[in-house]
């Protein structure tokens, strides 16, 4: 594939400053919007007030971006990348790429917990509704990695391999004598994750709607942990840009992904009463906050007959 797009969609000058709109920011925003729209539909389907999605998003979005950036910066620094230490102001350059899903997930869940607690909302309901749509939101944003020429895998002869210019190459792939620009193609790792997320995010949403009686509170979250964790753990094998944990063949993301998948399996077994986890209790049905429950239909008044 020889398609190359400028990471900057357009730019303009105003009051002596150059403002730029990057594809990365646009596609991430689109992914968030799609995920929020789907979450709104899911929460409404479960009987809760869907406006909470957009109200919570006002907190989740900025805090999630901070978490995603911090995780990326820390992970890169631990792996030996000194760019952020040499130029700390570059930590703020989010538009150049560099948001890690796990950081956004961690900060987002903590924020959602406090939001749900403040408004006395059912956390299980929101987690089950939001979990699968995060996969779809991620998938929508993944083409940004193609435009930024990042998150690619090792060289491949497969027909869908992509070219990477010299500036964006990492490690040994910078050796153009060994990996010529004209003939070397790389695994589109971001595309593998995009396909996985669209497939299993959509499948999980469909199954939860098709068989609601089988997906009791906590079940969708558990399956999401299994699918998101196992998928990311497998795809990480195609990520040469990720630093390995000292003395192992695993990356930090791979370890976290594997733990996610394991946590999902344990949660499923607990949900199905196969094992007992002290202190963990599942409701048989979602608890709708009284103030948010759909109002009962008012009885119709009989029309009065006029005397003739």
């Amino acid at each position: 594939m020889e398609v190359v797009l400028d990471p900057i969609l357009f730019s303009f000058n105003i009051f002596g400053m150059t403002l730029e709109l990057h594809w990365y920011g646009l596609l991430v925003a689109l992914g968030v919007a799609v995920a929020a729209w789907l979450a709104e539909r899911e929460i409404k389907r479960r009987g809760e007030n869907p406006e909470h999605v957009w109200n919570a998003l006002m907190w989740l979005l900025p805090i999630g971006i901070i978490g995603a950036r911090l995780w990326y910066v820390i992970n890169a620094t631990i792996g030996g990348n000194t760019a952020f230490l040499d130029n700390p102001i570059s930590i703020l350059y989010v538009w150049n790429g560099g948001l890690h899903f796990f950081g956004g997930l961690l900060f987002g869940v903590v924020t959602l917990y406090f939001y749900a607690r403040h408004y006395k909302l059912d956390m299980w309901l929101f987690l089950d509704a939001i979990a699968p749509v995060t996969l779809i939101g991620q998938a929508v944003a993944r083409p940004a990695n193609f435009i930024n020429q990042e998150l690619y895998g090792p060289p491949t002869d497969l027909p869908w391999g992509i070219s990477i210019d010299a500036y964006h190459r990492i490690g040994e792939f910078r050796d153009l004598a060994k990996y010529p620009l004209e003939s070397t193609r790389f695994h589109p790792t971001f595309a593998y994750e995009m396909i996985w997320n669209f497939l299993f995010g959509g499948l999980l949403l469909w199954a939860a709607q098709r068989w609601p009686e089988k997906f009791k509170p906590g079940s969708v979250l558990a399956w999401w942990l299994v699918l998101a964790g196992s998928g990311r753990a497998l795809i990480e094998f195609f990520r040469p840009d990720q630093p390995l944990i000292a003395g192992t063949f695993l990356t930090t993301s791979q370890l976290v992904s594997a733990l996610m998948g394991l946590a999902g399996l344990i949660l499923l077994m607990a949900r199905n009463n196969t094992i007992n986890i002290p202190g963990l209790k599942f409701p048989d049905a979602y608890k709708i906050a009284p103030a948010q429950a759909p109002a009962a239909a008012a009885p119709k008044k009989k029309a009065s007959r006029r005397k003739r």
Side-chain angles (χ1 to χ4, degrees):
M1 295 175 64
E2 299 291 344
V3 179
V4 177
L5 294 176
D6 189 339
I8 301 175
L9 182 58
F10 66 81
S11 63
F12 58 92
N13 293 317
I14 181 171
F15 302 120
M17 296 185 299
T18 301
L19 301 180
E20 300 175 338
L21 177 62
H22 290 242
W23 278 106
Y24 188 91
L26 179 64
L27 288 171
V28 168
L30 179 61
V32 171
V34 169
W37 176 70
L38 290 171
E40 179 188 35
R41 292 166 60 90
E42 278 298 287
I43 286 172
K44 184 177 180 180
R45 185 177 68 84
R46 286 170 164 81
E48 184 57 271
N49 184 354
E51 291 183 5
H52 280 297
V53 172
W54 304 103
N55 293 338
L57 193 62
M58 299 298 292
W59 296 95
L60 291 171
L61 187 57
I63 295 175
I65 290 175
I66 292 172
R69 185 60 171 177
L70 286 177
W71 189 296
Y72 177 86
V73 170
I74 292 171
N75 190 51
T77 304
I78 291 175
N81 186 343
T82 62
F84 299 111
L85 296 177
D86 298 336
N87 184 24
I89 192 66
S90 65
I91 295 174
L92 303 178
Y93 299 164
V94 179
W95 50 87
N96 287 336
L99 296 177
H100 203 294
F101 172 68
F102 291 144
L105 176 65
L106 176 62
F107 277 53
V109 169
V110 172
T111 304
L112 180 62
Y113 169 78
F114 284 106
Y115 180 89
R117 182 176 179 180
H118 178 75
Y119 288 100
K120 297 180 174 59
L121 302 173
D122 186 345
M123 188 67 173
W124 286 114
L125 185 151
F126 277 79
L127 289 175
D128 280 341
I130 293 173
V133 305
T134 60
L135 287 173
I136 298 174
Q138 272 186 284
V140 170
R142 278 302 175 202
N145 302 132
F146 171 71
I147 297 171
N148 281 359
Q149 297 192 63
E150 59 187 3
L151 305 192
Y152 53 87
T156 179
D157 293 328
L158 293 170
W160 55 79
I162 60 172
S163 60
I164 301 294
D165 63 36
Y167 177 78
H168 290 95
R169 291 194 180 187
I170 59 176
E172 63 175 328
F173 305 136
R174 294 193 181 101
D175 185 351
L176 300 185
K178 186 176 180 181
Y179 302 101
L181 287 173
E182 298 77 13
S183 58
T184 306
R185 298 294 180 268
F186 297 85
H187 279 284
T189 313
F190 57 85
Y192 300 158
E193 186 172 359
M194 181 176 69
I195 294 170
W196 179 282
N197 288 358
F198 269 134
L199 176 62
F200 289 105
L203 181 63
L204 191 52
L205 274 179
W206 172 80
Q209 295 175 11
R210 177 67 176 80
W211 298 289
E213 70 283 354
K214 295 183 179 180
F215 285 87
K216 296 180 180 180
S219 297
V220 175
L221 173 65
W223 275 111
W224 171 79
L225 285 167
V226 172
L227 295 170
S230 59
R232 185 63 178 263
L234 290 172
I235 292 168
E236 281 292 314
F237 282 112
F238 292 88
R239 293 280 303 276
D241 61 319
Q242 296 296 294
L244 297 176
I245 300 173
T248 73
F249 61 89
L250 297 174
T251 67
T252 303
S253 297
Q254 219 163 13
L255 178 60
V256 173
S257 299
L259 291 175
M260 281 176 59
L262 180 60
L265 289 174
I266 294 173
L267 196 62
L268 273 176
M269 289 188 290
R271 169 70 270 188
N272 295 324
N273 298 318
T274 305
I275 62 174
N276 180 40
I277 301 178
L280 181 62
K281 295 181 179 180
F282 295 94
D284 291 329
Y286 297 117
K287 300 176 184 177
I288 309 300
Q292 308 300 338
K300 296 181 179 180
K301 295 182 179 179
K302 293 182 179 180
S304 59
R305 295 182 178 178
R306 291 184 179 179
K307 295 181 179 180
R308 292 182 180 178

